[in-house]
Amino acid sequence: MPRRLTQLFAGLVLYGASMALMLRAALGLDPWDVFHQGLAGHVGLSFGMLVNVVGAVVLLLWIPLRQKPGIGTVANIFTIGTAVDLTLLVLPEVEGLPLRAAALVAGVVLNGVAGAMYIGAGLGPGPRDGLMTGFARRTGWSIRLVRTGIEVTVLAVGWLLGGTIGLGTVLYAFTIGPLVQLFLPAFTIHDSRSQKSTPVNA
Protein backbone atom coordinates (compact mmCIF):
# COMPACT_ATOMS: atom_id res chain seq x y z
CA MET A 1 0.00 0.00 0.00
CA PRO A 2 2.77 2.57 0.70
CA ARG A 3 4.09 2.04 -2.82
CA ARG A 4 0.61 2.34 -4.29
CA LEU A 5 -0.08 5.58 -2.43
CA THR A 6 3.31 7.05 -3.35
CA GLN A 7 2.82 6.23 -7.01
CA LEU A 8 -0.78 7.48 -6.93
CA PHE A 9 0.07 10.91 -5.55
CA ALA A 10 3.20 11.24 -7.70
CA GLY A 11 1.10 10.47 -10.75
CA LEU A 12 -1.61 12.96 -9.79
CA VAL A 13 0.92 15.74 -9.14
CA LEU A 14 2.65 15.06 -12.46
CA TYR A 15 -0.75 15.00 -14.17
CA GLY A 16 -1.42 18.50 -12.87
CA ALA A 17 2.04 19.64 -13.98
CA SER A 18 1.40 18.27 -17.47
CA MET A 19 -1.82 20.27 -17.68
CA ALA A 20 0.07 23.40 -16.68
CA LEU A 21 2.59 22.80 -19.48
CA MET A 22 -0.22 22.54 -22.02
CA LEU A 23 -1.77 25.73 -20.67
CA ARG A 24 1.54 27.59 -21.02
CA ALA A 25 1.93 26.24 -24.58
CA ALA A 26 -1.40 27.88 -25.51
CA LEU A 27 -1.78 25.65 -28.57
CA GLY A 28 -4.93 23.84 -27.54
CA LEU A 29 -6.04 21.71 -24.61
CA ASP A 30 -7.66 18.33 -24.13
CA PRO A 31 -11.50 18.38 -24.12
CA TRP A 32 -12.02 18.52 -20.36
CA ASP A 33 -9.42 21.26 -19.97
CA VAL A 34 -11.02 23.29 -22.75
CA PHE A 35 -14.17 23.09 -20.61
CA HIS A 36 -12.28 23.99 -17.42
CA GLN A 37 -10.55 26.93 -19.08
CA GLY A 38 -13.73 28.26 -20.65
CA LEU A 39 -15.66 27.98 -17.41
CA ALA A 40 -12.85 29.54 -15.36
CA GLY A 41 -13.20 32.73 -17.36
CA HIS A 42 -16.79 33.13 -16.17
CA VAL A 43 -16.84 32.06 -12.53
CA GLY A 44 -13.86 33.85 -11.01
CA LEU A 45 -12.00 30.74 -9.84
CA SER A 46 -8.47 29.73 -10.76
CA PHE A 47 -8.08 27.02 -13.38
CA GLY A 48 -6.86 24.48 -10.86
CA MET A 49 -9.56 25.23 -8.33
CA LEU A 50 -12.16 24.78 -11.04
CA VAL A 51 -10.63 21.42 -11.99
CA ASN A 52 -11.15 20.32 -8.38
CA VAL A 53 -14.71 21.68 -8.20
CA VAL A 54 -15.76 20.08 -11.49
CA GLY A 55 -14.24 16.79 -10.31
CA ALA A 56 -16.36 16.93 -7.15
CA VAL A 57 -19.52 17.71 -9.13
CA VAL A 58 -18.81 14.86 -11.56
CA LEU A 59 -18.33 12.52 -8.60
CA LEU A 60 -21.88 13.32 -7.46
CA LEU A 61 -23.08 12.00 -10.83
CA TRP A 62 -21.70 8.60 -9.79
CA ILE A 63 -24.54 8.21 -7.29
CA PRO A 64 -27.31 7.33 -9.79
CA LEU A 65 -24.77 5.22 -11.71
CA ARG A 66 -24.02 3.25 -8.51
CA GLN A 67 -20.30 3.73 -8.92
CA LYS A 68 -18.08 3.32 -5.86
CA PRO A 69 -15.11 5.70 -5.50
CA GLY A 70 -11.71 4.58 -4.32
CA ILE A 71 -8.89 6.35 -2.55
CA GLY A 72 -7.53 7.41 -5.91
CA THR A 73 -10.88 8.92 -6.89
CA VAL A 74 -11.00 11.21 -3.86
CA ALA A 75 -7.29 12.05 -4.13
CA ASN A 76 -7.82 12.97 -7.76
CA ILE A 77 -10.34 15.65 -6.81
CA PHE A 78 -8.05 17.43 -4.36
CA THR A 79 -4.64 16.88 -5.92
CA ILE A 80 -4.65 17.50 -9.67
CA GLY A 81 -6.16 20.98 -9.69
CA THR A 82 -3.96 22.06 -6.78
CA ALA A 83 -0.88 20.79 -8.64
CA VAL A 84 -1.93 22.76 -11.73
CA ASP A 85 -2.17 26.03 -9.81
CA LEU A 86 1.12 25.48 -7.97
CA THR A 87 2.93 24.61 -11.19
CA LEU A 88 1.57 27.70 -12.92
CA LEU A 89 2.96 29.82 -10.07
CA VAL A 90 6.54 28.72 -10.84
CA LEU A 91 6.30 27.99 -14.57
CA PRO A 92 6.95 31.14 -16.61
CA GLU A 93 5.09 32.15 -19.74
CA VAL A 94 6.48 30.44 -22.84
CA GLU A 95 7.43 32.73 -25.70
CA GLY A 96 7.93 31.74 -29.33
CA LEU A 97 6.34 28.95 -31.33
CA PRO A 98 9.26 26.45 -31.03
CA LEU A 99 9.25 26.65 -27.23
CA ARG A 100 5.46 26.51 -27.09
CA ALA A 101 5.48 23.43 -29.33
CA ALA A 102 8.10 21.81 -27.09
CA ALA A 103 6.00 22.60 -24.00
CA LEU A 104 2.96 21.08 -25.69
CA VAL A 105 4.75 17.83 -26.60
CA ALA A 106 6.30 17.60 -23.13
CA GLY A 107 2.89 18.18 -21.55
CA VAL A 108 1.20 15.45 -23.58
CA VAL A 109 3.96 12.89 -22.96
CA LEU A 110 4.08 13.71 -19.24
CA ASN A 111 0.30 13.38 -19.14
CA GLY A 112 0.62 9.88 -20.57
CA VAL A 113 3.24 8.92 -17.97
CA ALA A 114 1.21 10.43 -15.13
CA GLY A 115 -1.99 8.74 -16.27
CA ALA A 116 -0.22 5.37 -16.36
CA MET A 117 1.14 5.99 -12.85
CA TYR A 118 -2.17 6.72 -11.14
CA ILE A 119 -4.06 4.07 -13.11
CA GLY A 120 -1.32 1.52 -12.40
CA ALA A 121 -1.61 2.19 -8.67
CA GLY A 122 -5.02 0.49 -8.85
CA LEU A 123 -6.69 2.66 -6.21
CA GLY A 124 -9.68 3.85 -8.20
CA PRO A 125 -10.38 5.83 -11.38
CA GLY A 126 -10.65 9.59 -11.60
CA PRO A 127 -14.15 11.11 -11.40
CA ARG A 128 -14.35 11.76 -15.15
CA ASP A 129 -13.17 8.25 -16.10
CA GLY A 130 -15.57 6.72 -13.59
CA LEU A 131 -18.43 8.70 -15.11
CA MET A 132 -17.55 7.25 -18.49
CA THR A 133 -17.27 3.63 -17.35
CA GLY A 134 -20.34 3.87 -15.11
CA PHE A 135 -22.49 5.33 -17.86
CA ALA A 136 -21.30 2.69 -20.30
CA ARG A 137 -22.15 -0.08 -17.81
CA ARG A 138 -25.61 1.31 -17.11
CA THR A 139 -26.55 1.91 -20.75
CA GLY A 140 -24.80 -1.02 -22.39
CA TRP A 141 -23.13 1.35 -24.85
CA SER A 142 -19.48 0.90 -25.74
CA ILE A 143 -16.76 2.76 -23.83
CA ARG A 144 -15.64 4.34 -27.10
CA LEU A 145 -19.11 5.70 -27.85
CA VAL A 146 -19.66 7.02 -24.33
CA ARG A 147 -16.21 8.60 -24.09
CA THR A 148 -16.60 10.25 -27.48
CA GLY A 149 -20.03 11.59 -26.58
CA ILE A 150 -18.88 13.03 -23.25
CA GLU A 151 -15.69 14.56 -24.60
CA VAL A 152 -17.34 16.09 -27.68
CA THR A 153 -19.95 17.63 -25.39
CA VAL A 154 -17.49 19.16 -22.91
CA LEU A 155 -15.25 20.28 -25.77
CA ALA A 156 -18.10 22.09 -27.52
CA VAL A 157 -19.34 23.73 -24.32
CA GLY A 158 -15.80 24.73 -23.31
CA TRP A 159 -15.11 26.25 -26.73
CA LEU A 160 -18.35 28.25 -26.60
CA LEU A 161 -17.26 29.53 -23.18
CA GLY A 162 -13.87 30.65 -24.54
CA GLY A 163 -11.63 27.62 -24.02
CA THR A 164 -8.64 27.06 -26.31
CA ILE A 165 -8.93 24.51 -29.13
CA GLY A 166 -5.97 23.94 -31.42
CA LEU A 167 -3.14 21.64 -32.40
CA GLY A 168 -2.80 20.43 -28.82
CA THR A 169 -6.41 19.25 -28.80
CA VAL A 170 -5.83 17.10 -31.87
CA LEU A 171 -2.42 15.85 -30.68
CA TYR A 172 -3.85 14.84 -27.33
CA ALA A 173 -6.82 13.04 -28.88
CA PHE A 174 -4.64 10.87 -31.11
CA THR A 175 -1.72 10.16 -28.77
CA ILE A 176 -2.91 9.95 -25.17
CA GLY A 177 -4.37 6.45 -25.49
CA PRO A 178 -1.24 4.93 -27.07
CA LEU A 179 0.99 6.79 -24.60
CA VAL A 180 -0.86 5.49 -21.54
CA GLN A 181 -0.83 1.98 -23.02
CA LEU A 182 2.91 2.28 -23.65
CA PHE A 183 3.78 3.35 -20.10
CA LEU A 184 1.19 1.34 -18.18
CA PRO A 185 3.11 -1.96 -17.97
CA ALA A 186 6.00 -0.19 -16.24
CA PHE A 187 3.72 1.28 -13.57
CA THR A 188 1.16 -1.47 -13.00
CA ILE A 189 1.70 -2.73 -9.46
CA HIS A 190 1.47 -6.50 -9.14
CA ASP A 191 -0.03 -8.36 -6.21
CA SER A 192 2.91 -10.25 -4.72
CA ARG A 193 0.59 -12.89 -3.27
CA SER A 194 -0.98 -13.88 -6.58
CA GLN A 195 1.58 -12.47 -9.03
CA LYS A 196 -1.32 -10.99 -10.97
CA SER A 197 -1.63 -7.42 -12.08
CA THR A 198 -3.80 -5.15 -10.02
CA PRO A 199 -7.05 -4.46 -11.91
CA VAL A 200 -6.96 -0.97 -13.34
CA ASN A 201 -9.52 1.44 -14.66
CA ALA A 202 -8.66 3.40 -17.79
Side-chain angles (χ1 to χ4, degrees):
M1 184 57 73
R3 180 187 168 189
R4 292 179 190 275
L5 289 172
T6 300
Q7 181 174 303
L8 168 69
F9 281 99
L12 294 176
V13 169
L14 290 177
Y15 201 97
S18 73
M19 291 163 63
L21 277 169
M22 293 183 67
L23 282 165
R24 286 290 189 245
L27 291 172
L29 304 170
D30 69 89
W32 275 104
D33 285 344
V34 172
F35 176 72
H36 296 143
Q37 186 185 49
L39 192 58
H42 295 271
V43 299
L45 295 175
S46 69
F47 182 91
M49 180 61 69
L50 195 57
V51 170
N52 290 346
V53 170
V54 170
V57 172
V58 170
L59 184 59
L60 293 177
L61 298 178
W62 284 31
I63 297 173
L65 297 175
R66 298 180 182 177
Q67 288 278 92
K68 294 182 179 180
I71 297 172
T73 310
V74 178
N76 183 297
I77 293 173
F78 294 102
T79 307
I80 290 182
T82 304
V84 173
D85 279 350
L86 292 175
T87 304
L88 289 173
L89 286 176
V90 299
L91 188 66
E93 297 287 343
V94 180
E95 302 290 343
L97 184 57
L99 287 178
R100 291 167 60 200
L104 171 63
V105 172
V108 173
V109 174
L110 183 60
N111 193 276
V113 173
M117 289 178 70
Y118 87 74
I119 291 170
L123 293 174
R128 297 157 187 81
D129 289 336
L131 176 66
M132 172 188 67
T133 55
F135 195 80
R137 180 172 52 81
R138 294 284 288 177
T139 62
W141 298 348
S142 69
I143 291 289
R144 179 179 299 178
L145 178 61
V146 172
R147 177 167 186 164
T148 300
I150 291 174
E151 294 197 348
V152 167
T153 299
V154 297
L155 180 66
V157 173
W159 177 71
L160 291 173
L161 290 172
T164 305
I165 294 177
L167 174 63
T169 310
V170 178
L171 180 66
Y172 189 93
F174 281 99
T175 62
I176 194 60
L179 283 170
V180 172
Q181 185 174 0
L182 173 66
F183 294 118
L184 191 57
F187 292 109
T188 298
I189 297 178
H190 298 269
D191 188 333
S192 60
R193 293 169 297 180
S194 64
Q195 297 299 313
K196 294 181 180 180
S197 299
T198 300
V200 298
N201 296 281

Short mmCIF file of all heavy atoms in Angstrom, two decimals, residues 123-162:
data_model
loop_
_atom_site.label_atom_id
_atom_site.label_comp_id
_atom_site.label_asym_id
_atom_site.label_seq_id
_atom_site.Cartn_x
_atom_site.Cartn_y
_atom_site.Cartn_z
N LEU A 123 -5.94 2.20 -7.38
CA LEU A 123 -6.69 2.66 -6.21
C LEU A 123 -7.96 3.44 -6.58
O LEU A 123 -8.50 4.17 -5.76
CB LEU A 123 -5.79 3.54 -5.33
CG LEU A 123 -4.63 2.79 -4.66
CD1 LEU A 123 -3.70 3.76 -3.94
CD2 LEU A 123 -5.16 1.73 -3.70
N GLY A 124 -8.42 3.24 -7.79
CA GLY A 124 -9.68 3.85 -8.20
C GLY A 124 -9.50 4.84 -9.34
O GLY A 124 -8.49 5.54 -9.40
N PRO A 125 -10.48 4.91 -10.24
CA PRO A 125 -10.38 5.83 -11.38
C PRO A 125 -10.67 7.27 -10.97
O PRO A 125 -11.22 7.53 -9.90
CB PRO A 125 -11.48 5.31 -12.31
CG PRO A 125 -12.52 4.76 -11.38
CD PRO A 125 -11.74 4.15 -10.24
N GLY A 126 -10.29 8.20 -11.82
CA GLY A 126 -10.65 9.59 -11.60
C GLY A 126 -12.15 9.78 -11.79
O GLY A 126 -12.82 8.94 -12.40
N PRO A 127 -12.70 10.88 -11.29
CA PRO A 127 -14.15 11.11 -11.40
C PRO A 127 -14.65 11.08 -12.85
O PRO A 127 -15.70 10.50 -13.12
CB PRO A 127 -14.33 12.51 -10.79
CG PRO A 127 -13.17 12.68 -9.88
CD PRO A 127 -12.03 11.96 -10.53
N ARG A 128 -13.90 11.68 -13.77
CA ARG A 128 -14.35 11.76 -15.15
C ARG A 128 -14.29 10.39 -15.82
O ARG A 128 -15.19 10.04 -16.59
CB ARG A 128 -13.50 12.79 -15.90
CG ARG A 128 -13.67 14.21 -15.33
CD ARG A 128 -12.48 15.10 -15.66
NE ARG A 128 -12.55 16.39 -15.00
CZ ARG A 128 -12.20 16.61 -13.72
NH1 ARG A 128 -11.76 15.60 -12.97
NH2 ARG A 128 -12.28 17.81 -13.19
N ASP A 129 -13.25 9.60 -15.54
CA ASP A 129 -13.17 8.25 -16.10
C ASP A 129 -14.25 7.35 -15.52
O ASP A 129 -14.83 6.52 -16.21
CB ASP A 129 -11.79 7.64 -15.82
CG ASP A 129 -10.69 8.30 -16.64
OD1 ASP A 129 -11.02 8.85 -17.70
OD2 ASP A 129 -9.53 8.24 -16.23
N GLY A 130 -14.52 7.51 -14.22
CA GLY A 130 -15.57 6.72 -13.59
C GLY A 130 -16.94 7.05 -14.14
O GLY A 130 -17.81 6.17 -14.27
N LEU A 131 -17.17 8.31 -14.47
CA LEU A 131 -18.43 8.70 -15.11
C LEU A 131 -18.60 7.98 -16.43
O LEU A 131 -19.68 7.45 -16.74
CB LEU A 131 -18.46 10.22 -15.33
CG LEU A 131 -19.68 10.77 -16.07
CD1 LEU A 131 -20.94 10.59 -15.25
CD2 LEU A 131 -19.46 12.25 -16.41
N MET A 132 -17.53 7.92 -17.20
CA MET A 132 -17.55 7.25 -18.49
C MET A 132 -17.85 5.76 -18.35
O MET A 132 -18.75 5.22 -19.00
CB MET A 132 -16.22 7.46 -19.19
CG MET A 132 -16.01 6.66 -20.47
SD MET A 132 -14.32 6.81 -21.07
CE MET A 132 -13.41 5.94 -19.77
N THR A 133 -17.09 5.07 -17.48
CA THR A 133 -17.27 3.63 -17.35
C THR A 133 -18.61 3.29 -16.71
O THR A 133 -19.27 2.31 -17.09
CB THR A 133 -16.14 3.02 -16.52
OG1 THR A 133 -16.05 3.68 -15.24
CG2 THR A 133 -14.80 3.17 -17.23
N GLY A 134 -19.05 4.11 -15.75
CA GLY A 134 -20.34 3.87 -15.11
C GLY A 134 -21.49 4.05 -16.08
O GLY A 134 -22.44 3.26 -16.10
N PHE A 135 -21.42 5.09 -16.89
CA PHE A 135 -22.49 5.33 -17.86
C PHE A 135 -22.53 4.23 -18.91
O PHE A 135 -23.61 3.78 -19.31
CB PHE A 135 -22.27 6.70 -18.53
CG PHE A 135 -23.47 7.21 -19.28
CD1 PHE A 135 -24.51 7.83 -18.59
CD2 PHE A 135 -23.56 7.08 -20.65
CE1 PHE A 135 -25.62 8.30 -19.28
CE2 PHE A 135 -24.67 7.54 -21.34
CZ PHE A 135 -25.70 8.16 -20.65
N ALA A 136 -21.35 3.78 -19.33
CA ALA A 136 -21.30 2.69 -20.30
C ALA A 136 -21.91 1.41 -19.72
O ALA A 136 -22.64 0.68 -20.40
CB ALA A 136 -19.86 2.45 -20.73
N ARG A 137 -21.62 1.14 -18.45
CA ARG A 137 -22.15 -0.08 -17.81
C ARG A 137 -23.66 -0.01 -17.67
O ARG A 137 -24.36 -1.00 -17.89
CB ARG A 137 -21.49 -0.25 -16.45
CG ARG A 137 -21.96 -1.48 -15.67
CD ARG A 137 -21.11 -1.69 -14.43
NE ARG A 137 -21.03 -0.48 -13.62
CZ ARG A 137 -21.98 -0.10 -12.76
NH1 ARG A 137 -23.07 -0.86 -12.61
NH2 ARG A 137 -21.85 0.99 -12.05
N ARG A 138 -24.17 1.17 -17.33
CA ARG A 138 -25.61 1.31 -17.11
C ARG A 138 -26.41 1.30 -18.41
O ARG A 138 -27.55 0.83 -18.44
CB ARG A 138 -25.89 2.59 -16.35
CG ARG A 138 -25.36 2.62 -14.92
CD ARG A 138 -26.20 1.80 -13.98
NE ARG A 138 -27.48 2.44 -13.71
CZ ARG A 138 -28.45 1.91 -12.96
NH1 ARG A 138 -28.26 0.73 -12.41
NH2 ARG A 138 -29.57 2.55 -12.75
N THR A 139 -25.82 1.81 -19.49
CA THR A 139 -26.55 1.91 -20.75
C THR A 139 -26.29 0.74 -21.69
O THR A 139 -27.09 0.49 -22.59
CB THR A 139 -26.17 3.20 -21.49
OG1 THR A 139 -24.76 3.17 -21.80
CG2 THR A 139 -26.49 4.43 -20.64
N GLY A 140 -25.17 0.05 -21.47
CA GLY A 140 -24.80 -1.02 -22.39
C GLY A 140 -24.08 -0.51 -23.63
O GLY A 140 -23.75 -1.30 -24.52
N TRP A 141 -23.85 0.80 -23.70
CA TRP A 141 -23.13 1.35 -24.85
C TRP A 141 -21.64 1.09 -24.68
O TRP A 141 -21.15 0.82 -23.58
CB TRP A 141 -23.37 2.86 -24.96
CG TRP A 141 -24.81 3.23 -25.19
CD1 TRP A 141 -25.83 2.39 -25.54
CD2 TRP A 141 -25.39 4.53 -25.08
NE1 TRP A 141 -27.01 3.08 -25.64
CE2 TRP A 141 -26.77 4.39 -25.37
CE3 TRP A 141 -24.89 5.80 -24.76
CZ2 TRP A 141 -27.65 5.48 -25.36
CZ3 TRP A 141 -25.74 6.88 -24.75
CH2 TRP A 141 -27.11 6.71 -25.05
N SER A 142 -20.91 1.16 -25.79
CA SER A 142 -19.48 0.90 -25.74
C SER A 142 -18.76 2.06 -25.05
O SER A 142 -19.22 3.21 -25.06
CB SER A 142 -18.91 0.74 -27.16
OG SER A 142 -18.94 1.98 -27.85
N ILE A 143 -17.60 1.73 -24.45
CA ILE A 143 -16.76 2.76 -23.83
C ILE A 143 -16.39 3.82 -24.85
O ILE A 143 -16.40 5.02 -24.56
CB ILE A 143 -15.48 2.13 -23.24
CG1 ILE A 143 -15.83 1.26 -22.02
CG2 ILE A 143 -14.47 3.21 -22.86
CD1 ILE A 143 -16.25 2.05 -20.80
N ARG A 144 -16.05 3.39 -26.05
CA ARG A 144 -15.64 4.34 -27.10
C ARG A 144 -16.76 5.33 -27.40
O ARG A 144 -16.51 6.54 -27.50
CB ARG A 144 -15.25 3.58 -28.36
CG ARG A 144 -14.82 4.48 -29.52
CD ARG A 144 -14.41 3.67 -30.73
NE ARG A 144 -13.28 2.81 -30.44
CZ ARG A 144 -12.75 1.97 -31.32
NH1 ARG A 144 -13.26 1.87 -32.54
NH2 ARG A 144 -11.71 1.24 -30.99
N LEU A 145 -17.98 4.83 -27.54
CA LEU A 145 -19.11 5.70 -27.85
C LEU A 145 -19.38 6.68 -26.71
O LEU A 145 -19.58 7.88 -26.93
CB LEU A 145 -20.35 4.86 -28.13
CG LEU A 145 -21.65 5.64 -28.42
CD1 LEU A 145 -21.48 6.49 -29.66
CD2 LEU A 145 -22.82 4.67 -28.58
N VAL A 146 -19.39 6.16 -25.49
CA VAL A 146 -19.66 7.02 -24.33
C VAL A 146 -18.57 8.07 -24.15
O VAL A 146 -18.86 9.25 -23.94
CB VAL A 146 -19.81 6.17 -23.05
CG1 VAL A 146 -19.89 7.07 -21.82
CG2 VAL A 146 -21.03 5.28 -23.14
N ARG A 147 -17.31 7.65 -24.25
CA ARG A 147 -16.21 8.60 -24.09
C ARG A 147 -16.27 9.68 -25.16
O ARG A 147 -16.09 10.87 -24.86
CB ARG A 147 -14.87 7.87 -24.14
CG ARG A 147 -13.69 8.84 -24.04
CD ARG A 147 -12.38 8.13 -23.78
NE ARG A 147 -11.32 9.09 -23.56
CZ ARG A 147 -10.15 8.79 -23.03
NH1 ARG A 147 -9.90 7.55 -22.64
NH2 ARG A 147 -9.23 9.72 -22.86
N THR A 148 -16.51 9.27 -26.40
CA THR A 148 -16.60 10.25 -27.48
C THR A 148 -17.72 11.23 -27.24
O THR A 148 -17.55 12.45 -27.40
CB THR A 148 -16.80 9.54 -28.83
OG1 THR A 148 -15.69 8.66 -29.09
CG2 THR A 148 -16.91 10.56 -29.96
N GLY A 149 -18.88 10.72 -26.82
CA GLY A 149 -20.03 11.59 -26.58
C GLY A 149 -19.76 12.60 -25.47
O GLY A 149 -20.07 13.80 -25.61
N ILE A 150 -19.16 12.13 -24.37
CA ILE A 150 -18.88 13.03 -23.25
C ILE A 150 -17.84 14.08 -23.64
O ILE A 150 -18.01 15.28 -23.38
CB ILE A 150 -18.39 12.23 -22.02
CG1 ILE A 150 -19.53 11.38 -21.45
CG2 ILE A 150 -17.84 13.17 -20.95
CD1 ILE A 150 -19.10 10.45 -20.33
N GLU A 151 -16.77 13.63 -24.30
CA GLU A 151 -15.69 14.56 -24.60
C GLU A 151 -16.07 15.55 -25.69
O GLU A 151 -15.66 16.72 -25.64
CB GLU A 151 -14.43 13.78 -24.98
CG GLU A 151 -13.89 12.99 -23.79
CD GLU A 151 -12.45 12.54 -23.97
OE1 GLU A 151 -11.92 12.62 -25.11
OE2 GLU A 151 -11.85 12.09 -22.98
N VAL A 152 -16.86 15.14 -26.67
CA VAL A 152 -17.34 16.09 -27.68
C VAL A 152 -18.24 17.14 -27.03
O VAL A 152 -18.16 18.33 -27.35
CB VAL A 152 -18.09 15.36 -28.81
CG1 VAL A 152 -18.87 16.34 -29.68
CG2 VAL A 152 -17.11 14.57 -29.67
N THR A 153 -19.06 16.69 -26.07
CA THR A 153 -19.95 17.63 -25.39
C THR A 153 -19.18 18.66 -24.58
O THR A 153 -19.42 19.87 -24.70
CB THR A 153 -20.92 16.86 -24.46
OG1 THR A 153 -21.71 15.96 -25.24
CG2 THR A 153 -21.85 17.83 -23.73
N VAL A 154 -18.25 18.21 -23.74
CA VAL A 154 -17.49 19.16 -22.91
C VAL A 154 -16.58 20.04 -23.77
O VAL A 154 -16.36 21.22 -23.44
CB VAL A 154 -16.69 18.46 -21.79
CG1 VAL A 154 -17.63 17.75 -20.82
CG2 VAL A 154 -15.66 17.49 -22.34
N LEU A 155 -16.08 19.49 -24.87
CA LEU A 155 -15.25 20.28 -25.77
C LEU A 155 -16.05 21.41 -26.40
O LEU A 155 -15.61 22.57 -26.44
CB LEU A 155 -14.66 19.38 -26.86
CG LEU A 155 -13.76 20.06 -27.90
CD1 LEU A 155 -12.48 20.57 -27.25
CD2 LEU A 155 -13.43 19.08 -29.03
N ALA A 156 -17.25 21.08 -26.88
CA ALA A 156 -18.10 22.09 -27.52
C ALA A 156 -18.51 23.18 -26.52
O ALA A 156 -18.44 24.37 -26.83
CB ALA A 156 -19.33 21.42 -28.12
N VAL A 157 -18.93 22.76 -25.33
CA VAL A 157 -19.34 23.73 -24.32
C VAL A 157 -18.15 24.60 -23.90
O VAL A 157 -18.27 25.83 -23.78
CB VAL A 157 -19.94 23.02 -23.09
CG1 VAL A 157 -20.21 24.02 -21.96
CG2 VAL A 157 -21.24 22.31 -23.47
N GLY A 158 -16.99 23.98 -23.70
CA GLY A 158 -15.80 24.73 -23.31
C GLY A 158 -15.39 25.73 -24.38
O GLY A 158 -15.01 26.86 -24.06
N TRP A 159 -15.46 25.34 -25.64
CA TRP A 159 -15.11 26.25 -26.73
C TRP A 159 -16.07 27.43 -26.79
O TRP A 159 -15.65 28.58 -26.96
CB TRP A 159 -15.14 25.49 -28.05
CG TRP A 159 -14.86 26.36 -29.24
CD1 TRP A 159 -13.65 26.92 -29.59
CD2 TRP A 159 -15.80 26.78 -30.23
NE1 TRP A 159 -13.79 27.66 -30.74
CE2 TRP A 159 -15.09 27.59 -31.16
CE3 TRP A 159 -17.15 26.54 -30.43
CZ2 TRP A 159 -15.72 28.16 -32.26
CZ3 TRP A 159 -17.78 27.11 -31.53
CH2 TRP A 159 -17.07 27.91 -32.43
N LEU A 160 -17.36 27.16 -26.61
CA LEU A 160 -18.35 28.25 -26.60
C LEU A 160 -18.11 29.21 -25.44
O LEU A 160 -18.43 30.40 -25.53
CB LEU A 160 -19.76 27.67 -26.52
CG LEU A 160 -20.25 26.93 -27.77
CD1 LEU A 160 -21.59 26.25 -27.51
CD2 LEU A 160 -20.36 27.90 -28.96
N LEU A 161 -17.53 28.69 -24.34
CA LEU A 161 -17.26 29.53 -23.18
C LEU A 161 -15.91 30.26 -23.29
O LEU A 161 -15.58 31.08 -22.43
CB LEU A 161 -17.26 28.68 -21.91
CG LEU A 161 -18.62 28.13 -21.46
CD1 LEU A 161 -18.44 27.16 -20.30
CD2 LEU A 161 -19.56 29.27 -21.07
N GLY A 162 -15.15 29.95 -24.34
CA GLY A 162 -13.87 30.65 -24.54
C GLY A 162 -12.63 29.80 -24.33
O GLY A 162 -11.52 30.34 -24.32
#
